[in-house]
Amino acid sequence: MPKQIIKKIEAALHQLDCAISLYFQESDPIAIHTLACAAHQIIHDINRYRKGPELLFDSIVFKDEYRCLAKKYLHKHYNFFKHANNDPDPDGTIEFDPHGTEIFILTSIRGLAYLGIQLNPEHLAFLSYFCFHNPKLLTEKGVQSFIHNIPVDQLQDIRSLEKGKFLKAFLSLRR
């Protein structure tokens, strides 16, 4: 394979798209998390450099005195999965809830939109899937845009779809 010139944002897009693909395949949660966090870090840094709106790490939901602690907690699993310099014990363990990965994917997609990058159908599928399965996290506007006009029985059918089938159905509707 020949050498390639890759822009940082392209690297983030590749990582994010791979994370989303693996997410919908219900593949390895550690790989998904690591890819999602790597993509988020690049998108976050570029967005911050361009003085864009806050993303996860610089969110105003964290008080200034707790921001470093929150950032450390958010990086905890990511750092465990990619480093051993602070804990070289090969039998070291961590408790991991893969649902947190969804927040990294979600805020990465949000960051892409802030950067003016057009979202691809897989990004939109993830947003839709997340919103259908987490309506309590949505604002009223979010509920209106994703869920409001869908009959209750159809909403139940949508929510019962496996991730892969949801993606396939979503992409076929977009064509």
Side-chain angles (χ1 to χ4, degrees):
M1 179 176 271
K3 291 182 182 180
Q4 299 178 8
I5 305 296
I6 306 291
K7 295 179 183 177
K8 281 190 187 286
I9 196 64
E10 290 172 342
L13 284 166
H14 282 271
Q15 292 165 335
L16 181 61
D17 291 350
C18 189
I20 292 171
S21 176
L22 293 171
Y23 175 85
F24 278 113
Q25 293 171 34
E26 299 189 60
S27 192
D28 184 346
I30 294 168
I32 297 167
H33 188 78
T34 305
L35 287 163
C37 289
H40 181 273
Q41 186 67 59
I42 293 171
I43 294 165
H44 166 84
D45 292 344
I46 293 170
N47 181 61
R48 191 171 202 190
Y49 175 77
R50 291 188 177 175
K51 302 195 183 331
E54 67 186 40
L55 291 177
L56 189 58
F57 294 144
D58 50 8
S59 175
I60 59 171
V61 299
F62 302 120
K63 290 183 176 180
D64 287 341
E65 62 264 30
Y66 297 112
R67 190 166 313 214
C68 285
L69 183 64
K71 192 173 179 178
K72 184 177 179 180
Y73 176 78
L74 291 168
H75 277 98
K76 180 177 152 181
H77 299 102
Y78 178 50
N79 287 333
F80 184 88
F81 297 148
K82 69 176 192 147
H83 297 296
N85 56 339
N86 292 331
D87 181 15
D89 179 1
D91 295 322
T93 63
I94 193 167
E95 185 175 350
F96 174 58
D97 180 357
H99 288 97
T101 304
E102 295 171 335
I103 300 303
F104 283 95
I105 295 173
L106 186 68
T107 54
S108 293
I109 293 170
R110 187 172 161 219
L112 292 176
Y114 289 156
L115 294 171
I117 295 170
Q118 185 172 354
L119 303 181
N120 68 31
E122 288 78 9
H123 299 152
L124 299 173
F126 178 86
L127 290 174
S128 296
Y129 185 87
F130 183 85
C131 291
F132 283 131
H133 288 85
N134 299 284
K136 291 179 182 177
L137 299 177
L138 301 179
T139 63
E140 187 57 38
K141 184 178 177 182
V143 170
Q144 291 295 327
S145 62
F146 279 98
I147 298 172
H148 181 69
N149 294 325
I150 300 173
V152 175
D153 59 325
Q154 287 182 355
L155 191 55
Q156 279 303 106
D157 290 343
I158 292 168
R159 287 185 177 136
S160 69
L161 288 174
E162 296 171 5
K163 289 177 184 174
K165 289 182 180 178
F166 178 91
L167 178 63
K168 187 175 182 177
F170 184 91
L171 295 176
S172 71
L173 288 173
R174 302 256 324 151
R175 290 188 182 112

